Amino acid sequence: MQEKVTFNIDKNKNFSEWYTEIVKRAELADLRYNIKGFLVFQPFSVLTMENMYSLYEKKLQEKGHLPYWYPAVIPESNFLKEKEHVKGFSPDVFWVTSYGDNQKLEEPLALRPTSETAFYQMFSLWIRSYKDLPFKTYQRAQVWRYETKATRPFIRSREFYWIEAHDAFSSLEEAEAQVKEDMETTKEMLHDEFGIPFIFFKRPQWDKFAGAVNTYAADTLMPDGKVIQQPSTHLLGQNFSKPFDVKFKDKNGEDKYCFITCYGPAISRIFASLISIHGDDNGLIFPFKIAPFQIVIVPVLIKGKEKEVLKKAKDLQKKLAEKFRVYLDLREENMGEKFYHWEMKGIPIRLELGPKEAKSSEVTLFRRDTRKKEKVKLKDLVKKIEKVGEELTKNLIKKADDEFKNSIINVKNFSELKKINGKFVRVNFCSIDKDGEKCAEKIEKETELTVRGIRSDVKEKASGKCIVCNKEAKEVVYLAKPY
Amino acid sequence: MQEKVTFNIDKNKNFSEWYTEIVKRAELADLRYNIKGFLVFQPFSVLTMENMYSLYEKKLQEKGHLPYWYPAVIPESNFLKEKEHVKGFSPDVFWVTSYGDNQKLEEPLALRPTSETAFYQMFSLWIRSYKDLPFKTYQRAQVWRYETKATRPFIRSREFYWIEAHDAFSSLEEAEAQVKEDMETTKEMLHDEFGIPFIFFKRPQWDKFAGAVNTYAADTLMPDGKVIQQPSTHLLGQNFSKPFDVKFKDKNGEDKYCFITCYGPAISRIFASLISIHGDDNGLIFPFKIAPFQIVIVPVLIKGKEKEVLKKAKDLQKKLAEKFRVYLDLREENMGEKFYHWEMKGIPIRLELGPKEAKSSEVTLFRRDTRKKEKVKLKDLVKKIEKVGEELTKNLIKKADDEFKNSIINVKNFSELKKINGKFVRVNFCSIDKDGEKCAEKIEKETELTVRGIRSDVKEKASGKCIVCNKEAKEVVYLAKPY
């Protein structure tokens, strides 16, 4: 099969095709690994996700979290200790049951779908006194879940890459403050670094993390208007500290159970939003700081003049590599193909260097977001790149914010819900406690919209009747169509 | 149980005790996770190993390798494709066989013990032409092996952390050159960065990687004289490209099978050698570049004068954090305890700051390897730290090299072998092909020494008889006692 040289798909009209094609053409992930729902992540996504990990981990460490590596497997007996948790996660668990030539393990091991039941048994050994608190930890890890819904690369798969932070405190107030800190961290990373706008919701009781007191989750919209859950933070209270015996002696020497929170940014899923929100009809656009390569140098090699151009290109690469991630493209392809290739791959800055530039002290700089070219003097180049890089990222964030602004609509009548596509729908709703679940089910069944919860950034007062049951509305909730 | 405040174990006399205690006391890993052979890696090892990963990955990328993330599971059918490989690894494999409530998977999945059978099915999809070659890849990942020998933290466990590089070439010569490059990379990382001396051996045929043509492995000695295998690189030839159909079209358009190599530095096991070789009777000593923290600031807080000292300490931390990884120790402990604590944890540089220093423009700098203190002017501090850091690392490497120099002894008679403890033993040996295996077995049975192979850095000519069977010796081999 002949590969297409150009990439030109209308992202907003044909998002599903755009997404499928860009994952393949930009070599982000290969779906042909022969286990359903598992994929091979390729260099352009891995390099970017490593940069994302690095920024996220630095931030968590600055806020007092220390890194751990826990085993990928959890003994069945641990897994069964918290009964809501086991109910929620059991259907999804892959089980390791044997080794070697069909020899049975003493106890089945869960391939971790999440690690509460691994972390907290260790917390119970490590935490002794109020002096050990707060105890703030995280790990970068992959987790495995036997998804039954359709899988899509980066969006939903049976193996994904995340960070999970687990923190223990001596009081409920401190745990609640941690939940706020996690929301703040989400803003600092998702929005300020990765350019992904979102709303943080308090989830309804029927949709909280299995075992949590309350779940707060960031939701963003994809270009097709579907909602995708991004980092969530969970107030676990003492729900896990009791079965796992996570206790501390307070200042009076009394034994108390810890209050626990956990927080789970999924790097591979954030990557899905990142490429979808910033990409355009010509392919990907990466924010400067996390781009796999920040600069590509394309030497224009005209016969007879290759030597001096090549030398200049290599010198330039060497100099820029001190500050940036640079790729020098010496592949046997024609210019047009190279230009399209790197645009499609989303490299923020392309430098073109031909015989004319090799003689002068200038280079041509192409900027991926605006697709504009300009000549830059070599002596100004480093500063110019820094400036363009910053501007490009700011521009991506602003564009994303502007689009997101118009993503909320108010709806008063149930019948209108069926016509909605691709927005957050703001409605009056009876309750996000268990007694509201029936109304939520009716919405989902008849409109595919799900109740995302109430905003946790602003307090909104309901006035009127529930859009479903017509009882007095206690809440203003937001609905959206999930994948 | 009262924790000991000081650490004082004679490393060379009681290495086993030293190792067990330091892993526990310096909080490197906790063995109380309730699955045999699995452990929880704690911040001081994780921070260091992350730094080691980062240096190693940078080096591999500079040499043209690109990063991938492969699934942690491999379908049984893949795993069975190369018959030597399956023979070698089958006994060690953990199998994922079911999900949810005891529902059987269509096909059992191997928890990867190594990833040849995952990588090469993808190579067969990606590699088309000689233009795609060389194709150089790696992943950072953990692997799982059902070890039956006794496990020891970092040295041998059922889950460990490594990098595996997999490369495909169009000719045997290029593949052989890659093996040499891998050995060079090993030197640049293990010796030049981590300070671990080693000898690279070509392994005997009976001890090569399952499925390889030849295996080359770096062996180093631990302080108890036992040998530990560090990175190995394997010439796989076409042994895997044939069953996995990894082909390319050469310049004449003919289909050819690729030549493949793989290389596996195990970060968690390198960490074991690193702490063992550089540590002393007072605990750990980390090379400056990879230390979890490079500097600890201990403010001497005397009543009534805390405020100005604390301010100065915080200012200092902030300033140094621009260049280094710095920890400011504000725990409620006495000075002596803090000093011992950070010495035991191996932090290269400790800065002491009391009321006197807060008023003057000086600070006291303690250097972990020499355990010497000196006053340093604040204005010279950054430069001084850089200098001391470099010197400390060089000093660790030199000390390790000096000790390693005397680690080889020549032995002529079999009876002498039983007296050997803690060295590489250089002997005449019949053959490292299959016909030498019986002699190797006899040595191992009667002396616990194993045949490590012939040196790959220098060619040594045997003259005389095999130390076991008395036949003409074809090789000079090295023996050592493994864990």
Side-chain angles (χ1 to χ4, degrees):
Chain A
M1 197 188 75
Q2 190 86 35
E3 291 282 326
K4 282 185 279 182
V5 174
T6 61
F7 189 89
N8 189 354
I9 301 176
D10 188 321
K11 188 183 85 169
N12 291 317
K13 275 200 190 140
N14 307 310
F15 175 69
S16 182
E17 186 197 348
W18 184 94
Y19 190 82
T20 303
E21 278 298 302
I22 201 67
V23 165
K24 190 173 150 195
R25 296 279 304 287
E27 296 168 303
L28 302 178
D30 199 311
L31 315 185
R32 292 171 293 172
Y33 193 81
N34 53 359
I35 310 177
K36 205 181 152 223
F38 284 79
L39 40 106
V40 179
F41 296 94
Q42 291 172 282
F44 263 66
S45 63
V46 174
L47 286 165
T48 310
M49 290 190 287
E50 284 288 357
N51 294 332
M52 293 164 71
Y53 262 123
S54 163
L55 287 176
Y56 230 119
E57 292 190 63
K58 189 159 174 273
K59 180 68 76 181
L60 287 172
Q61 288 183 22
E62 280 168 10
K63 296 188 180 191
H65 296 84
L66 283 171
Y68 289 73
W69 292 341
Y70 276 77
V73 285
I74 300 173
E76 188 183 35
S77 52
N78 275 39
F79 194 71
L80 300 178
K81 274 191 180 167
E82 205 291 317
K83 70 179 194 307
E84 289 301 320
H85 188 70
V86 67
K87 216 194 290 173
F89 277 101
S90 274
D92 294 349
V93 172
F94 285 96
W95 290 102
V96 184
T97 57
S98 64
Y99 69 94
D101 185 16
N102 213 4
Q103 291 172 274
K104 230 180 154 175
L105 290 171
E106 273 175 48
E107 182 181 7
L109 306 174
L111 216 45
R112 64 172 167 237
T114 177
S115 305
E116 286 70 20
T117 58
F119 273 69
Y120 307 149
Q121 70 162 324
M122 300 310 293
F123 279 22
S124 78
L125 298 170
W126 295 331
I127 297 170
R128 289 274 158 268
S129 136
Y130 70 93
K131 283 189 196 172
D132 300 321
L133 300 173
F135 194 81
K136 296 173 71 167
T137 74
Y138 78 90
Q139 75 172 343
R140 66 167 277 181
Q142 70 266 61
V143 288
W144 299 270
R145 296 179 187 173
Y146 191 92
E147 290 286 352
T148 46
K149 289 188 197 167
T151 57
R152 293 211 75 182
F154 301 99
I155 294 173
R156 184 188 294 121
S157 55
R158 289 182 173 174
E159 178 181 48
F160 64 91
Y161 283 76
W162 77 350
I163 291 169
E164 48 184 321
H166 296 272
D167 303 340
F169 303 91
S170 55
S171 70
L172 179 62
E173 291 68 37
E174 284 173 278
E176 285 172 338
Q178 183 60 44
V179 166
K180 289 223 172 75
E181 185 188 289
D182 295 339
M183 292 192 210
E184 186 59 30
T185 301
T186 307
K187 185 192 160 291
E188 289 160 2
M189 299 310 301
L190 256 74
H191 182 268
D192 303 351
E193 292 286 1
F194 308 149
I196 301 169
F198 60 83
I199 302 174
F200 240 110
F201 293 110
K202 181 180 175 189
R203 288 275 188 257
Q205 282 299 305
W206 58 86
D207 193 28
K208 66 186 182 183
F209 178 79
V213 174
N214 274 314
T215 284
Y216 304 83
D219 278 343
T220 188
L221 294 178
M222 295 289 260
D224 59 359
K226 284 191 181 153
V227 72
I228 181 170
Q229 172 171 315
Q230 289 297 353
S232 51
T233 168
H234 313 287
L235 181 70
L236 303 181
Q238 297 179 321
N239 290 357
F240 285 84
S241 54
K242 285 178 181 170
F244 284 95
D245 204 32
V246 185
K247 279 190 294 211
F248 68 100
K249 278 203 191 308
D250 71 6
K251 285 189 180 171
N252 306 318
E254 264 176 67
D255 279 333
K256 297 267 171 74
Y257 286 108
C258 288
F259 293 84
I260 297 182
T261 65
C262 61
Y263 172 54
I267 298 297
S268 49
R269 200 198 280 160
I270 296 171
F271 184 82
S273 288
L274 178 102
I275 59 171
S276 303
I277 290 173
H278 300 317
D280 66 12
D281 298 353
N282 299 299
L284 301 173
I285 309 177
F286 283 110
F288 190 70
K289 212 192 270 181
I290 56 170
F293 298 108
Q294 297 170 303
I295 302 161
V296 58
I297 301 172
V298 181
V300 185
L301 299 170
I302 290 163
K303 257 196 176 162
K305 288 175 180 173
E306 289 107 332
K307 219 174 135 184
E308 55 184 328
V309 172
L310 210 58
K311 189 189 170 313
K312 200 121 182 186
K314 283 184 179 169
D315 288 350
L316 191 59
Q317 178 197 27
K318 209 175 151 189
K319 192 188 154 203
L320 294 177
E322 287 168 19
K323 284 218 129 188
F324 309 105
R325 294 184 294 279
V326 189
Y327 186 86
L328 172 58
D329 186 359
L330 299 176
R331 296 171 308 139
E332 290 180 29
E333 303 285 353
N334 70 49
M335 278 307 111
E337 210 156 277
K338 285 188 183 187
F339 289 180
Y340 282 125
H341 180 80
W342 296 113
E343 279 186 54
M344 184 262 292
K345 291 241 187 187
I347 303 310
I349 289 171
R350 180 176 81 225
L351 299 177
E352 302 165 17
L353 190 77
K356 225 164 61 190
E357 280 98 348
K359 269 189 188 138
S360 77
S361 52
E362 287 187 332
V363 67
T364 300
L365 184 152
F366 170 88
R367 173 177 158 174
R368 176 59 182 90
D369 59 332
T370 57
R371 306 187 72 215
K372 283 192 179 136
K373 283 187 185 191
E374 62 178 309
K375 301 263 186 205
V376 182
K377 289 207 163 60
L378 281 178
K379 68 174 176 53
D380 303 328
L381 188 58
V382 169
K383 275 210 175 136
K384 180 74 182 178
I385 289 172
E386 279 170 349
K387 190 163 162 268
V388 169
E390 227 171 273
E391 281 174 9
L392 176 142
T393 306
K394 270 194 197 152
N395 184 34
L396 292 181
I397 298 175
K398 189 178 175 309
K399 245 180 87 224
D401 283 346
D402 287 346
E403 276 167 33
F404 195 69
K405 257 183 215 154
N406 305 314
S407 63
I408 300 174
I409 52 168
N410 292 297
V411 170
K412 300 273 181 202
N413 300 310
F414 189 86
S415 58
E416 281 177 56
L417 289 180
K418 294 185 191 178
K419 297 174 221 156
I420 305 298
N421 214 356
K423 299 267 181 183
F424 283 113
V425 187
R426 193 169 169 278
V427 299
N428 284 318
F429 196 75
C430 52
S431 166
I432 60 166
D433 286 328
K434 271 289 178 189
D435 54 324
E437 190 170 9
K438 282 234 162 105
C439 288
E441 282 169 359
K442 182 165 187 254
I443 293 176
E444 189 169 355
K445 206 176 154 201
E446 298 185 22
T447 70
E448 290 175 47
L449 295 163
T450 55
V451 176
R452 312 306 292 175
I454 60 171
R455 287 182 86 121
S456 56
D457 53 345
V458 288
K459 267 214 161 43
E460 297 187 300
K461 221 176 115 74
S463 64
K465 307 288 181 190
C466 171
I467 193 164
V468 187
C469 66
N470 230 8
K471 280 187 204 143
E472 203 60 42
K474 275 192 261 178
E475 311 284 5
V476 176
V477 304
Y478 290 69
L479 316 175
K481 211 171 273 186
Y483 278 95
Chain B
M1 198 187 77
Q2 189 87 36
E3 290 282 323
K4 283 186 278 183
V5 172
T6 62
F7 189 88
N8 191 353
I9 300 176
D10 188 322
K11 188 183 83 170
N12 292 316
K13 275 198 188 139
N14 306 311
F15 175 68
S16 181
E17 186 196 348
W18 183 93
Y19 191 81
T20 303
E21 278 297 304
I22 201 67
V23 166
K24 190 173 149 193
R25 296 278 305 285
E27 296 168 304
L28 303 177
D30 199 309
L31 314 185
R32 292 171 293 172
Y33 193 81
N34 53 357
I35 309 177
K36 204 179 153 221
F38 284 78
L39 39 107
V40 178
F41 295 94
Q42 291 170 284
F44 263 66
S45 63
V46 174
L47 287 165
T48 310
M49 291 191 287
E50 285 287 357
N51 294 331
M52 292 165 72
Y53 262 122
S54 164
L55 286 175
Y56 229 118
E57 292 191 63
K58 189 159 173 271
K59 179 70 77 182
L60 288 172
Q61 288 183 21
E62 280 168 11
K63 295 187 180 192
H65 295 84
L66 284 172
Y68 289 73
W69 291 341
Y70 276 77
V73 285
I74 300 173
E76 188 183 35
S77 51
N78 274 40
F79 193 71
L80 300 178
K81 275 192 180 167
E82 204 293 318
K83 68 178 194 306
E84 290 300 321
H85 188 70
V86 65
K87 217 196 288 172
F89 277 101
S90 273
D92 295 349
V93 172
F94 285 96
W95 290 102
V96 184
T97 58
S98 63
Y99 69 94
D101 185 16
N102 213 5
Q103 290 173 274
K104 231 179 155 178
L105 291 172
E106 273 175 49
E107 182 181 6
L109 306 174
L111 217 45
R112 66 173 166 236
T114 176
S115 305
E116 284 71 20
T117 58
F119 273 69
Y120 306 149
Q121 70 162 324
M122 300 311 291
F123 278 22
S124 78
L125 299 171
W126 295 331
I127 297 171
R128 288 275 160 265
S129 137
Y130 70 93
K131 284 189 195 172
D132 299 322
L133 300 174
F135 194 81
K136 297 173 69 167
T137 73
Y138 78 90
Q139 75 171 345
R140 67 167 279 183
Q142 69 265 61
V143 289
W144 299 270
R145 296 179 187 173
Y146 192 92
E147 290 285 353
T148 46
K149 289 188 197 168
T151 56
R152 294 210 73 182
F154 301 99
I155 294 173
R156 184 187 295 119
S157 55
R158 289 182 173 173
E159 176 181 50
F160 64 91
Y161 283 77
W162 77 350
I163 291 169
E164 48 183 322
H166 296 271
D167 304 339
F169 303 91
S170 54
S171 72
L172 179 60
E173 292 69 37
E174 285 172 277
E176 286 172 338
Q178 183 59 45
V179 166
K180 288 222 173 75
E181 184 187 289
D182 294 340
M183 292 193 209
E184 187 60 30
T185 301
T186 307
K187 185 192 160 291
E188 289 160 3
M189 299 310 301
L190 256 74
H191 182 269
D192 303 351
E193 291 286 1
F194 308 149
I196 301 169
F198 60 84
I199 303 175
F200 240 110
F201 294 110
K202 181 182 176 185
R203 288 276 188 255
Q205 281 299 306
W206 59 84
D207 192 27
K208 66 186 182 184
F209 178 78
V213 175
N214 274 313
T215 284
Y216 303 83
D219 278 342
T220 190
L221 295 178
M222 294 288 261
D224 58 359
K226 284 192 180 151
V227 71
I228 181 168
Q229 171 170 315
Q230 289 298 353
S232 51
T233 168
H234 313 287
L235 181 69
L236 303 181
Q238 297 178 321
N239 290 357
F240 285 83
S241 54
K242 285 177 181 171
F244 285 95
D245 205 33
V246 185
K247 279 190 294 210
F248 68 100
K249 281 206 190 305
D250 71 6
K251 286 189 180 173
N252 306 318
E254 265 176 66
D255 279 334
K256 296 268 171 73
Y257 285 109
C258 289
F259 293 83
I260 297 181
T261 64
C262 62
Y263 172 54
I267 298 297
S268 50
R269 200 199 278 161
I270 297 171
F271 184 82
S273 289
L274 178 102
I275 58 170
S276 303
I277 289 172
H278 300 317
D280 66 13
D281 299 353
N282 298 301
L284 301 173
I285 310 178
F286 284 110
F288 189 70
K289 213 192 271 181
I290 57 170
F293 297 108
Q294 298 171 302
I295 301 161
V296 58
I297 301 172
V298 180
V300 185
L301 300 170
I302 289 164
K303 260 201 173 158
K305 289 175 180 172
E306 289 108 332
K307 218 175 138 187
E308 55 184 327
V309 172
L310 211 58
K311 189 190 171 314
K312 200 122 183 184
K314 284 183 178 169
D315 288 350
L316 191 59
Q317 178 197 26
K318 209 174 151 190
K319 191 187 156 204
L320 294 177
E322 287 167 19
K323 284 217 128 188
F324 310 105
R325 293 185 294 279
V326 189
Y327 186 86
L328 172 59
D329 186 359
L330 298 177
R331 297 172 307 138
E332 289 180 30
E333 303 285 351
N334 70 48
M335 280 305 114
E337 210 156 278
K338 285 189 182 185
F339 289 0
Y340 282 124
H341 179 80
W342 296 112
E343 279 188 54
M344 184 263 291
K345 290 241 187 187
I347 303 310
I349 289 171
R350 181 176 78 227
L351 299 177
E352 301 165 19
L353 190 77
K356 226 164 60 190
E357 281 97 347
K359 270 190 190 139
S360 77
S361 52
E362 286 187 333
V363 66
T364 300
L365 183 152
F366 170 88
R367 174 176 156 174
R368 175 61 182 88
D369 60 332
T370 56
R371 306 186 74 214
K372 281 189 181 139
K373 282 187 185 191
E374 61 178 309
K375 300 264 185 205
V376 182
K377 288 207 164 58
L378 281 178
K379 70 175 175 54
D380 304 328
L381 188 59
V382 169
K383 275 208 174 138
K384 181 73 183 179
I385 287 171
E386 278 170 349
K387 190 163 162 264
V388 169
E390 228 172 88
E391 280 174 11
L392 176 141
T393 306
K394 271 194 194 150
N395 184 34
L396 292 181
I397 298 176
K398 191 179 176 306
K399 246 181 86 223
D401 283 345
D402 287 347
E403 276 166 31
F404 195 69
K405 257 184 213 152
N406 305 313
S407 64
I408 300 174
I409 53 168
N410 291 297
V411 169
K412 299 276 182 201
N413 301 308
F414 190 85
S415 59
E416 279 178 57
L417 289 180
K418 294 185 191 179
K419 295 175 223 156
I420 304 299
N421 214 352
K423 299 266 181 187
F424 282 114
V425 187
R426 195 170 167 277
V427 299
N428 285 319
F429 196 75
C430 50
S431 167
I432 60 165
D433 286 329
K434 270 289 179 190
D435 54 326
E437 190 170 9
K438 283 233 162 106
C439 288
E441 282 170 359
K442 184 167 188 263
I443 293 176
E444 188 169 355
K445 205 176 154 202
E446 296 186 24
T447 71
E448 288 176 46
L449 296 163
T450 56
V451 176
R452 312 305 293 178
I454 60 172
R455 287 181 85 120
S456 56
D457 53 344
V458 288
K459 267 214 160 41
E460 296 188 301
K461 221 178 112 81
S463 63
K465 308 288 184 190
C466 170
I467 194 167
V468 186
C469 66
N470 231 8
K471 281 189 204 144
E472 202 61 42
K474 276 193 261 178
E475 310 285 6
V476 177
V477 304
Y478 290 68
L479 316 174
K481 211 171 273 185
Y483 277 95

